Amino acid sequence: MIQTVIFDMDGVIVDTEPVHHFAYSQHFKQLNIEITPEMYASFTGNSTKNIFERLKAHFNLKEEVQTLVETKRNLFNDAFDHKEDLYLLDGVEDLIRELHSNGMQLVLASSSAKVTINRIFNRFGLHQYFSHIVSGEDFPKSKPHPAIFEHAAFLSQTPKEDCIVIEDSTNGILAAKAAGIYCIGYDSVNSKLQDYSKADQIITNFRELSFDKIRNIN
């Protein structure tokens, strides 16, 4: 019986992708580099640090990775603070509240930095629902490496077979499966060029899920 639900954040709880895209686009212009849509899509689920490690090697950038990360983060924070039309994805808050009120443990496992996670959690009052928050910045390798989900399951003190992951990206789904955890792929209208074929189950709306449906997945 499922006891713990591990949520990704970007694209699952809140669609910050337009804000990230704006910040990256601004930064790429500053760096005078051109990123194809295919390359940008491959970033989904990766930490900012890992993305800039790739870009530094690919474009032979002179800036240090940490400097690149901080510049992009500042651009994101500025855009985030000024974006009024930012909402939780349709149906996800109701699901989070229902799961929490029925005693389901919720853990966040996001590739975003802790400062970004806290910014979003504070804005939408989400801290009360989650027992643990795991950030991708704490791991040397990003999704599809399974480390972030393995650690999330460890913190939950729940056997992996009693956990599920909800993910919207190819990299996240591969990471969940590599960790040996059942994965629900969220194929939303915001998802771009992502592959859901390895997910155990695919949804297009959070109203397809409920406490009873999730609890009895196994």
Coordinates of all heavy atoms in Angstrom, one line a residue, residues 22-111:
F22 N 12.4 32.5 -19.7 CA 12.8 33.9 -19.9 C 14.1 34.2 -19.3 O 15.0 34.9 -19.9 CB 11.7 34.8 -19.1 CG 12.0 36.2 -19.1 CD1 11.8 37.1 -20.2 CD2 12.6 36.8 -18.0 CE1 12.1 38.4 -20.2 CE2 12.9 38.2 -17.9 CZ 12.6 39.0 -19.0
A23 N 14.4 33.7 -18.1 CA 15.7 34.0 -17.5 C 16.9 33.4 -18.3 O 17.9 34.0 -18.5 CB 15.7 33.4 -16.0
Y24 N 16.7 32.1 -18.7 CA 17.7 31.5 -19.6 C 17.9 32.3 -20.9 O 19.1 32.5 -21.3 CB 17.3 30.0 -19.9 CG 17.8 29.0 -18.8 CD1 16.8 28.2 -18.2 CD2 19.1 28.9 -18.5 CE1 17.2 27.3 -17.2 CE2 19.5 27.9 -17.5 CZ 18.5 27.2 -16.9 OH 18.9 26.2 -15.9
S25 N 16.8 32.7 -21.5 CA 16.9 33.4 -22.8 C 17.7 34.7 -22.6 O 18.6 35.0 -23.4 CB 15.5 33.7 -23.3 OG 14.9 32.5 -23.7
Q26 N 17.4 35.4 -21.5 CA 18.1 36.6 -21.2 C 19.6 36.4 -21.0 O 20.5 37.1 -21.5 CB 17.6 37.3 -19.9 CG 16.2 37.8 -20.1 CD 16.1 39.0 -21.1 OE1 15.6 38.8 -22.2 NE2 16.5 40.1 -20.6
H27 N 19.9 35.3 -20.3 CA 21.3 35.0 -20.0 C 22.0 34.5 -21.3 O 23.2 34.9 -21.5 CB 21.3 33.9 -18.9 CG 22.7 33.8 -18.2 ND1 23.0 32.8 -17.4 CD2 23.8 34.6 -18.3 CE1 24.2 32.9 -16.9 NE2 24.7 34.0 -17.5
F28 N 21.4 33.7 -22.1 CA 22.0 33.2 -23.3 C 22.4 34.4 -24.2 O 23.4 34.4 -24.9 CB 21.1 32.2 -24.0 CG 20.8 31.0 -23.3 CD1 19.7 30.2 -23.6 CD2 21.7 30.5 -22.3 CE1 19.4 29.0 -22.9 CE2 21.4 29.4 -21.6 CZ 20.3 28.6 -21.9
K29 N 21.5 35.4 -24.3 CA 21.8 36.6 -25.0 C 23.0 37.3 -24.5 O 23.9 37.8 -25.3 CB 20.6 37.6 -25.0 CG 19.4 37.1 -25.9 CD 18.3 38.1 -25.7 CE 17.0 37.6 -26.5 NZ 15.9 38.5 -26.3
Q30 N 23.1 37.4 -23.2 CA 24.3 38.0 -22.5 C 25.6 37.3 -22.9 O 26.6 37.9 -23.1 CB 24.1 38.1 -21.0 CG 23.0 39.0 -20.5 CD 22.8 38.9 -19.0 OE1 23.6 38.2 -18.3 NE2 21.7 39.5 -18.5
L31 N 25.5 35.9 -22.9 CA 26.6 35.1 -23.2 C 26.9 35.0 -24.7 O 27.9 34.4 -25.1 CB 26.4 33.7 -22.6 CG 26.3 33.6 -21.1 CD1 25.8 32.2 -20.7 CD2 27.6 33.9 -20.4
N32 N 26.0 35.4 -25.5 CA 26.1 35.4 -27.0 C 26.2 33.9 -27.5 O 27.0 33.6 -28.3 CB 27.3 36.2 -27.5 CG 27.2 36.5 -29.0 OD1 26.1 36.6 -29.5 ND2 28.3 36.6 -29.6
I33 N 25.3 33.1 -26.9 CA 25.2 31.7 -27.4 C 23.8 31.4 -27.9 O 22.8 32.0 -27.4 CB 25.6 30.7 -26.3 CG1 24.8 30.8 -25.1 CG2 27.1 30.9 -25.9 CD1 25.0 29.8 -24.0
E34 N 23.7 30.4 -28.8 CA 22.4 30.1 -29.4 C 22.1 28.6 -29.0 O 22.9 27.7 -29.3 CB 22.4 30.3 -30.9 CG 21.0 30.2 -31.5 CD 21.0 30.7 -32.9 OE1 21.8 31.6 -33.3 OE2 20.2 30.1 -33.7
I35 N 20.9 28.4 -28.3 CA 20.5 27.1 -27.9 C 19.3 26.7 -28.7 O 18.3 27.4 -28.9 CB 20.1 27.2 -26.4 CG1 21.2 27.8 -25.5 CG2 19.7 25.8 -25.9 CD1 22.5 27.0 -25.5
T36 N 19.4 25.5 -29.3 CA 18.3 25.0 -30.2 C 17.2 24.5 -29.2 O 17.4 24.2 -28.1 CB 18.8 23.8 -31.0 OG1 19.1 22.7 -30.1 CG2 20.0 24.1 -31.9
P37 N 15.9 24.5 -29.8 CA 14.8 24.0 -29.0 C 15.1 22.5 -28.5 O 14.7 22.2 -27.3 CB 13.6 24.0 -30.0 CG 14.0 25.1 -30.9 CD 15.5 25.0 -31.1
E38 N 15.7 21.7 -29.3 CA 16.0 20.3 -28.9 C 17.0 20.3 -27.7 O 16.8 19.5 -26.7 CB 16.6 19.5 -30.0 CG 15.6 19.2 -31.1 CD 15.3 20.5 -32.0 OE1 16.1 21.4 -32.0 OE2 14.3 20.5 -32.7
M39 N 18.0 21.1 -27.7 CA 19.0 21.2 -26.6 C 18.3 21.7 -25.4 O 18.5 21.2 -24.2 CB 20.2 22.0 -27.0 CG 21.3 22.0 -25.9 SD 22.8 22.9 -26.5 CE 24.0 22.2 -25.3
Y40 N 17.4 22.7 -25.5 CA 16.8 23.3 -24.3 C 15.8 22.3 -23.7 O 15.8 22.1 -22.5 CB 16.0 24.6 -24.7 CG 15.4 25.3 -23.5 CD1 16.2 26.2 -22.8 CD2 14.1 25.1 -23.1 CE1 15.7 26.8 -21.7 CE2 13.6 25.7 -22.0 CZ 14.4 26.6 -21.3 OH 14.0 27.2 -20.2
A41 N 15.1 21.5 -24.6 CA 14.2 20.5 -24.1 C 15.0 19.4 -23.3 O 14.4 18.9 -22.3 CB 13.5 19.8 -25.2
S42 N 16.2 19.1 -23.6 CA 17.0 18.1 -22.9 C 17.4 18.6 -21.6 O 17.9 17.8 -20.7 CB 18.3 17.8 -23.8 OG 19.2 18.8 -23.7
F43 N 17.3 19.9 -21.3 CA 17.6 20.4 -19.9 C 16.6 20.1 -18.9 O 16.9 20.1 -17.7 CB 17.8 22.0 -20.0 CG 18.9 22.5 -20.8 CD1 18.8 23.8 -21.3 CD2 20.0 21.7 -21.2 CE1 19.9 24.3 -22.0 CE2 21.0 22.2 -22.0 CZ 20.9 23.5 -22.4
T44 N 15.4 19.8 -19.3 CA 14.2 19.6 -18.4 C 14.6 18.5 -17.4 O 14.9 17.4 -17.8 CB 13.0 19.2 -19.2 OG1 12.7 20.2 -20.2 CG2 11.8 19.1 -18.2
G45 N 14.4 18.8 -16.1 CA 14.7 17.9 -15.0 C 16.2 18.0 -14.5 O 16.5 17.3 -13.5
N46 N 17.0 18.7 -15.2 CA 18.4 18.9 -14.8 C 18.5 20.1 -13.8 O 17.8 21.1 -13.9 CB 19.3 19.2 -16.0 CG 19.7 17.9 -16.8 OD1 20.6 17.9 -17.6 ND2 18.9 16.8 -16.6
S47 N 19.5 20.1 -13.0 CA 19.8 21.2 -12.1 C 20.5 22.3 -12.9 O 21.1 22.0 -14.0 CB 20.7 20.8 -10.9 OG 22.0 20.5 -11.4
T48 N 20.4 23.6 -12.5 CA 21.0 24.7 -13.2 C 22.5 24.5 -13.3 O 23.1 24.8 -14.3 CB 20.7 26.0 -12.5 OG1 19.3 26.1 -12.3 CG2 21.2 27.2 -13.3
K49 N 23.1 23.9 -12.2 CA 24.5 23.7 -12.2 C 24.9 22.7 -13.3 O 25.9 23.0 -14.0 CB 24.9 23.2 -10.8 CG 26.4 22.8 -10.6 CD 26.7 22.4 -9.2 CE 28.2 22.0 -9.0 NZ 28.4 20.7 -9.6
N50 N 24.2 21.6 -13.4 CA 24.5 20.6 -14.4 C 24.3 21.2 -15.8 O 25.1 20.9 -16.7 CB 23.7 19.4 -14.2 CG 24.2 18.5 -13.1 OD1 23.3 17.9 -12.4 ND2 25.4 18.5 -12.8
I51 N 23.3 22.0 -16.0 CA 23.1 22.7 -17.3 C 24.3 23.5 -17.7 O 24.8 23.5 -18.8 CB 21.8 23.5 -17.3 CG1 20.6 22.5 -17.2 CG2 21.7 24.4 -18.5 CD1 19.3 23.2 -16.9
F52 N 24.7 24.3 -16.8 CA 25.8 25.2 -17.1 C 27.2 24.5 -17.2 O 28.1 25.0 -17.9 CB 25.9 26.4 -16.1 CG 24.9 27.5 -16.5 CD1 23.9 27.8 -15.7 CD2 25.1 28.2 -17.7 CE1 22.9 28.8 -16.0 CE2 24.2 29.2 -18.0 CZ 23.1 29.5 -17.2
E53 N 27.3 23.4 -16.5 CA 28.5 22.5 -16.8 C 28.5 22.1 -18.2 O 29.6 22.1 -18.9 CB 28.5 21.4 -15.8 CG 28.9 21.7 -14.4 CD 28.7 20.6 -13.4 OE1 28.0 19.6 -13.7 OE2 29.2 20.7 -12.2
R54 N 27.3 21.6 -18.7 CA 27.3 21.2 -20.1 C 27.5 22.4 -21.1 O 28.3 22.2 -22.0 CB 25.8 20.7 -20.4 CG 25.6 19.3 -19.8 CD 24.1 18.9 -20.1 NE 23.8 18.9 -21.5 CZ 22.5 18.7 -21.9 NH1 21.5 18.5 -21.1 NH2 22.3 18.7 -23.2
L55 N 26.9 23.5 -20.8 CA 27.1 24.7 -21.7 C 28.5 25.2 -21.7 O 29.0 25.6 -22.7 CB 26.1 25.8 -21.3 CG 24.6 25.5 -21.5 CD1 23.7 26.6 -21.0 CD2 24.3 25.2 -23.0
K56 N 29.1 25.2 -20.5 CA 30.5 25.7 -20.4 C 31.4 24.8 -21.3 O 32.3 25.4 -22.0 CB 31.0 25.7 -18.9 CG 32.4 26.2 -18.7 CD 32.8 26.2 -17.3 CE 34.2 26.6 -17.1 NZ 34.5 28.0 -17.5
A57 N 31.2 23.5 -21.2 CA 32.1 22.6 -22.0 C 31.7 22.7 -23.5 O 32.6 22.8 -24.4 CB 31.8 21.2 -21.5
H58 N 30.4 22.8 -23.8 CA 30.0 22.9 -25.2 C 30.4 24.1 -25.9 O 30.9 24.1 -27.1 CB 28.5 22.7 -25.3 CG 27.9 22.6 -26.7 ND1 27.9 21.4 -27.3 CD2 27.4 23.5 -27.5 CE1 27.4 21.6 -28.5 NE2 27.0 22.8 -28.7
F59 N 30.3 25.3 -25.2 CA 30.6 26.6 -25.9 C 31.9 27.2 -25.4 O 32.2 28.3 -25.8 CB 29.4 27.6 -25.5 CG 28.1 27.2 -26.2 CD1 27.1 26.6 -25.5 CD2 27.9 27.5 -27.6 CE1 25.9 26.3 -26.1 CE2 26.7 27.2 -28.2 CZ 25.7 26.6 -27.5
N60 N 32.6 26.4 -24.6 CA 33.9 26.9 -24.1 C 33.8 28.2 -23.4 O 34.6 29.2 -23.7 CB 35.0 26.9 -25.2 CG 36.4 27.0 -24.7 OD1 36.7 26.6 -23.6 ND2 37.3 27.7 -25.5
L61 N 32.8 28.4 -22.5 CA 32.6 29.6 -21.8 C 33.7 29.9 -20.8 O 34.2 29.0 -20.1 CB 31.2 29.6 -21.1 CG 30.0 29.3 -22.0 CD1 28.7 29.1 -21.1 CD2 29.8 30.5 -23.0
K62 N 34.0 31.2 -20.7 CA 35.1 31.6 -19.8 C 34.7 31.7 -18.4 O 35.5 31.6 -17.4 CB 35.8 32.8 -20.3 CG 34.9 34.1 -20.3 CD 35.7 35.3 -20.7 CE 35.0 36.6 -20.6 NZ 33.7 36.6 -21.3
E63 N 33.4 32.0 -18.2 CA 32.9 32.2 -16.8 C 32.9 30.9 -16.0 O 32.7 29.8 -16.6 CB 31.4 32.8 -16.9 CG 31.3 34.2 -17.5 CD 31.2 34.2 -19.0 OE1 31.3 33.1 -19.6 OE2 31.1 35.3 -19.6
E64 N 33.0 31.1 -14.7 CA 33.0 29.9 -13.8 C 31.5 29.5 -13.7 O 30.6 30.3 -13.8 CB 33.5 30.3 -12.4 CG 35.0 30.6 -12.4 CD 35.8 29.4 -12.8 OE1 35.4 28.2 -12.4 OE2 36.8 29.6 -13.5
V65 N 31.3 28.2 -13.5 CA 29.9 27.6 -13.5 C 29.1 28.3 -12.4 O 28.0 28.6 -12.6 CB 30.0 26.1 -13.2 CG1 28.6 25.5 -12.9 CG2 30.6 25.4 -14.5
Q66 N 29.7 28.5 -11.2 CA 29.0 29.1 -10.1 C 28.5 30.5 -10.4 O 27.4 30.9 -10.1 CB 29.8 29.1 -8.8 CG 29.0 29.5 -7.6 CD 27.8 28.6 -7.3 OE1 27.8 27.4 -7.6 NE2 26.7 29.2 -6.9
T67 N 29.4 31.2 -11.2 CA 29.0 32.6 -11.6 C 27.8 32.6 -12.6 O 26.9 33.4 -12.5 CB 30.2 33.3 -12.3 OG1 31.3 33.3 -11.3 CG2 29.9 34.7 -12.7
L68 N 27.9 31.6 -13.5 CA 26.8 31.4 -14.4 C 25.5 31.1 -13.7 O 24.4 31.6 -14.0 CB 27.1 30.3 -15.4 CG 28.3 30.6 -16.4 CD1 28.8 29.4 -17.1 CD2 27.9 31.7 -17.4
V69 N 25.6 30.2 -12.8 CA 24.4 29.8 -12.0 C 23.8 31.0 -11.3 O 22.6 31.2 -11.3 CB 24.7 28.6 -11.0 CG1 23.6 28.4 -10.0 CG2 25.1 27.4 -11.7
E70 N 24.6 31.7 -10.6 CA 24.1 32.9 -9.8 C 23.5 33.9 -10.7 O 22.5 34.6 -10.3 CB 25.3 33.5 -9.0 CG 25.7 32.5 -7.8 CD 26.9 33.0 -7.1 OE1 27.5 34.1 -7.5 OE2 27.3 32.3 -6.2
T71 N 24.1 34.2 -11.9 CA 23.5 35.2 -12.8 C 22.1 34.7 -13.2 O 21.2 35.5 -13.2 CB 24.4 35.3 -14.0 OG1 25.7 35.8 -13.6 CG2 23.8 36.4 -15.0
K72 N 22.0 33.5 -13.7 CA 20.7 33.0 -14.1 C 19.7 33.0 -12.9 O 18.5 33.4 -13.1 CB 20.8 31.6 -14.7 CG 19.6 31.0 -15.3 CD 18.8 30.2 -14.2 CE 17.4 29.8 -14.8 NZ 16.6 29.0 -13.8
R73 N 20.1 32.6 -11.7 CA 19.2 32.6 -10.6 C 18.7 34.0 -10.3 O 17.5 34.2 -10.0 CB 20.0 32.0 -9.4 CG 19.0 31.7 -8.2 CD 19.8 30.9 -7.1 NE 20.1 29.6 -7.6 CZ 21.1 28.9 -7.2 NH1 21.9 29.3 -6.2 NH2 21.3 27.7 -7.6
N74 N 19.6 35.0 -10.4 CA 19.2 36.4 -10.1 C 18.1 36.9 -11.2 O 17.2 37.6 -10.9 CB 20.4 37.3 -10.1 CG 21.3 37.1 -8.9 OD1 20.8 36.7 -7.9 ND2 22.5 37.5 -9.0
L75 N 18.4 36.5 -12.4 CA 17.4 36.8 -13.5 C 16.1 36.1 -13.2 O 15.0 36.7 -13.4 CB 18.0 36.3 -14.9 CG 19.1 37.2 -15.4 CD1 19.8 36.4 -16.6 CD2 18.6 38.5 -15.9
F76 N 16.1 34.9 -12.8 CA 14.9 34.1 -12.5 C 14.1 34.8 -11.3 O 12.9 35.0 -11.4 CB 15.2 32.7 -12.1 CG 14.0 31.9 -11.6 CD1 13.1 31.3 -12.5 CD2 13.7 31.9 -10.2 CE1 12.0 30.6 -12.0 CE2 12.6 31.2 -9.8 CZ 11.7 30.5 -10.7
N77 N 14.9 35.1 -10.2 CA 14.2 35.7 -9.0 C 13.6 37.0 -9.4 O 12.5 37.3 -8.9 CB 15.3 35.9 -7.9 CG 15.7 34.5 -7.3 OD1 15.0 33.5 -7.5 ND2 16.8 34.5 -6.6
D78 N 14.2 37.8 -10.2 CA 13.7 39.1 -10.5 C 12.4 38.9 -11.3 O 11.4 39.6 -11.1 CB 14.7 39.9 -11.3 CG 14.2 41.3 -11.6 OD1 14.0 42.1 -10.7 OD2 14.0 41.6 -12.8
A79 N 12.4 38.0 -12.3 CA 11.2 37.7 -13.1 C 10.1 37.1 -12.3 O 9.0 37.5 -12.4 CB 11.6 36.8 -14.3
F80 N 10.5 36.2 -11.4 CA 9.5 35.5 -10.5 C 8.8 36.5 -9.6 O 7.5 36.5 -9.5 CB 10.2 34.5 -9.7 CG 9.3 33.7 -8.7 CD1 8.6 32.6 -9.2 CD2 9.1 34.1 -7.4 CE1 7.8 31.9 -8.3 CE2 8.3 33.4 -6.5 CZ 7.6 32.3 -7.0
D81 N 9.5 37.4 -9.0 CA 8.9 38.4 -8.1 C 8.0 39.4 -8.8 O 7.1 39.9 -8.2 CB 10.0 39.1 -7.4 CG 10.8 38.3 -6.4 OD1 10.2 37.2 -6.0 OD2 11.9 38.6 -6.0
H82 N 8.2 39.6 -10.1 CA 7.4 40.5 -10.8 C 6.3 39.9 -11.6 O 5.5 40.5 -12.3 CB 8.3 41.4 -11.7 CG 9.1 42.3 -11.0 ND1 10.4 42.0 -10.5 CD2 8.9 43.6 -10.6 CE1 10.9 43.0 -9.9 NE2 10.0 44.0 -9.9
K83 N 6.2 38.5 -11.6 CA 5.2 37.8 -12.4 C 4.0 37.5 -11.5 O 4.0 36.7 -10.6 CB 5.8 36.5 -13.0 CG 4.8 35.8 -13.9 CD 5.6 34.7 -14.6 CE 4.7 33.9 -15.6 NZ 4.1 34.7 -16.7
E84 N 2.9 38.3 -11.8 CA 1.7 38.1 -11.0 C 0.9 36.9 -11.4 O 0.2 36.3 -10.6 CB 0.9 39.4 -11.0 CG 1.6 40.6 -10.4 CD 0.8 41.9 -10.6 OE1 -0.3 41.8 -11.1 OE2 1.3 42.9 -10.1
D85 N 0.9 36.6 -12.7 CA 0.1 35.5 -13.2 C 0.8 34.1 -13.1 O 1.0 33.4 -14.0 CB -0.4 35.7 -14.6 CG 0.8 35.9 -15.6 OD1 1.9 36.3 -15.1 OD2 0.6 35.6 -16.8
L86 N 1.1 33.8 -11.8 CA 1.8 32.5 -11.6 C 0.9 31.7 -10.6 O 0.7 32.2 -9.5 CB 3.2 32.7 -11.0 CG 4.1 31.5 -10.9 CD1 4.4 31.0 -12.3 CD2 5.4 31.9 -10.2
Y87 N 0.5 30.6 -11.0 CA -0.5 29.8 -10.2 C 0.0 28.3 -10.1 O 0.7 27.8 -10.9 CB -1.9 29.8 -10.8 CG -2.4 31.2 -11.2 CD1 -2.3 31.6 -12.5 CD2 -2.9 32.1 -10.2 CE1 -2.8 32.9 -12.8 CE2 -3.3 33.3 -10.5 CZ -3.2 33.8 -11.8 OH -3.7 35.0 -12.2
L88 N -0.5 27.7 -9.1 CA -0.3 26.2 -9.0 C -1.1 25.6 -10.1 O -2.1 26.1 -10.6 CB -0.8 25.7 -7.6 CG -0.1 26.2 -6.4 CD1 -0.7 25.6 -5.1 CD2 1.4 25.9 -6.5
L89 N -0.6 24.4 -10.6 CA -1.2 23.8 -11.7 C -2.6 23.2 -11.3 O -2.8 22.9 -10.2 CB -0.3 22.6 -12.3 CG 0.9 23.2 -13.0 CD1 1.9 22.0 -13.3 CD2 0.6 23.9 -14.3
D90 N -3.5 23.2 -12.3 CA -4.9 22.9 -12.1 C -5.1 21.6 -11.4 O -4.6 20.5 -11.9 CB -5.6 22.9 -13.4 CG -7.1 22.8 -13.2 OD1 -7.6 23.4 -12.3 OD2 -7.8 22.2 -14.1
G91 N -5.7 21.6 -10.2 CA -6.0 20.4 -9.5 C -5.0 19.9 -8.5 O -5.3 19.0 -7.7
V92 N -3.7 20.4 -8.6 CA -2.7 19.8 -7.8 C -2.8 20.2 -6.3 O -2.5 19.4 -5.4 CB -1.3 20.2 -8.3 CG1 -0.9 21.6 -8.1 CG2 -0.2 19.2 -7.7
E93 N -3.3 21.4 -6.0 CA -3.4 21.8 -4.6 C -4.5 21.0 -3.9 O -4.3 20.5 -2.8 CB -3.7 23.3 -4.5 CG -3.6 23.8 -3.0 CD -3.7 25.3 -2.9 OE1 -4.0 26.0 -3.9 OE2 -3.4 25.8 -1.8
D94 N -5.6 20.7 -4.6 CA -6.6 19.9 -4.1 C -6.1 18.5 -3.8 O -6.4 17.9 -2.7 CB -7.8 19.8 -5.0 CG -8.6 21.1 -5.1 OD1 -8.5 21.9 -4.2 OD2 -9.3 21.3 -6.1
L95 N -5.3 17.9 -4.7 CA -4.7 16.6 -4.5 C -3.8 16.6 -3.3 O -3.8 15.7 -2.4 CB -4.0 16.1 -5.7 CG -3.3 14.7 -5.6 CD1 -4.4 13.6 -5.4 CD2 -2.5 14.4 -6.9
I96 N -2.9 17.6 -3.2 CA -2.0 17.7 -2.1 C -2.7 17.7 -0.8 O -2.4 17.0 0.2 CB -1.1 18.9 -2.3 CG1 0.0 18.7 -3.4 CG2 -0.3 19.3 -1.0 CD1 0.7 19.9 -3.8
R97 N -3.7 18.6 -0.7 CA -4.5 18.7 0.5 C -5.2 17.4 0.9 O -5.2 17.0 2.1 CB -5.6 19.8 0.4 CG -5.0 21.2 0.5 CD -6.1 22.2 0.2 NE -5.6 23.6 0.4 CZ -6.3 24.7 0.0 NH1 -7.4 24.5 -0.6 NH2 -5.8 25.9 0.2
E98 N -5.8 16.7 -0.1 CA -6.5 15.5 0.2 C -5.5 14.4 0.7 O -5.8 13.7 1.6 CB -7.2 15.0 -1.1 CG -8.0 13.7 -0.9 CD -8.5 13.0 -2.2 OE1 -8.2 13.6 -3.3 OE2 -9.1 11.9 -2.1
L99 N -4.4 14.3 0.0 CA -3.4 13.3 0.4 C -2.9 13.6 1.8 O -2.8 12.6 2.7 CB -2.2 13.3 -0.6 CG -2.5 12.8 -2.0 CD1 -1.3 13.0 -2.9 CD2 -3.0 11.4 -2.1
H100 N -2.6 14.8 2.1 CA -2.1 15.2 3.4 C -3.1 15.0 4.5 O -2.8 14.4 5.6 CB -1.7 16.7 3.4 CG -1.1 17.2 4.7 ND1 -1.8 17.8 5.6 CD2 0.2 17.1 5.2 CE1 -1.0 18.1 6.7 NE2 0.2 17.7 6.4
S101 N -4.4 15.3 4.3 CA -5.4 15.2 5.3 C -5.7 13.7 5.6 O -6.3 13.4 6.6 CB -6.7 15.9 4.8 OG -7.3 15.3 3.7
N102 N -5.4 12.8 4.6 CA -5.6 11.4 4.8 C -4.4 10.7 5.3 O -4.3 9.4 5.4 CB -6.1 10.7 3.5 CG -7.6 11.0 3.3 OD1 -8.4 10.4 3.9 ND2 -7.9 11.9 2.4
G103 N -3.3 11.4 5.7 CA -2.2 10.8 6.3 C -1.1 10.3 5.4 O -0.1 9.7 5.8
M104 N -1.2 10.7 4.1 CA -0.2 10.3 3.2 C 1.0 11.2 3.3 O 0.9 12.4 3.5 CB -0.7 10.4 1.7 CG 0.2 9.9 0.7 SD 0.2 8.1 0.5 CE -1.4 7.8 -0.2
Q105 N 2.2 10.6 3.4 CA 3.4 11.5 3.5 C 3.8 12.0 2.1 O 3.8 11.3 1.1 CB 4.6 10.6 4.0 CG 5.9 11.5 4.2 CD 7.0 10.7 4.8 OE1 8.0 11.3 5.3 NE2 7.0 9.4 4.8
L106 N 4.1 13.3 2.1 CA 4.5 14.0 0.8 C 5.9 14.5 1.0 O 6.3 15.1 1.9 CB 3.5 15.2 0.5 CG 2.0 14.9 0.6 CD1 1.3 16.2 0.2 CD2 1.7 13.8 -0.4
V107 N 6.7 14.2 -0.1 CA 8.1 14.6 -0.2 C 8.3 15.3 -1.5 O 7.8 14.9 -2.5 CB 9.1 13.4 0.0 CG1 10.5 13.9 -0.2 CG2 8.8 12.7 1.3
L108 N 9.0 16.4 -1.5 CA 9.4 17.1 -2.7 C 10.8 16.7 -3.1 O 11.7 16.7 -2.3 CB 9.3 18.6 -2.5 CG 9.5 19.4 -3.9 CD1 8.2 19.5 -4.6 CD2 10.1 20.7 -3.7
A109 N 11.0 16.4 -4.4 CA 12.3 16.1 -5.0 C 12.4 16.8 -6.3 O 12.0 16.4 -7.3 CB 12.4 14.6 -5.2
S110 N 13.0 18.0 -6.2 CA 13.1 18.9 -7.3 C 14.5 19.2 -7.7 O 15.4 19.3 -6.8 CB 12.4 20.2 -7.0 OG 12.6 21.2 -7.9
S111 N 14.8 19.4 -9.0 CA 16.1 19.7 -9.5 C 16.4 21.2 -9.1 O 17.6 21.6 -9.2 CB 16.2 19.5 -11.0 OG 16.1 18.2 -11.3

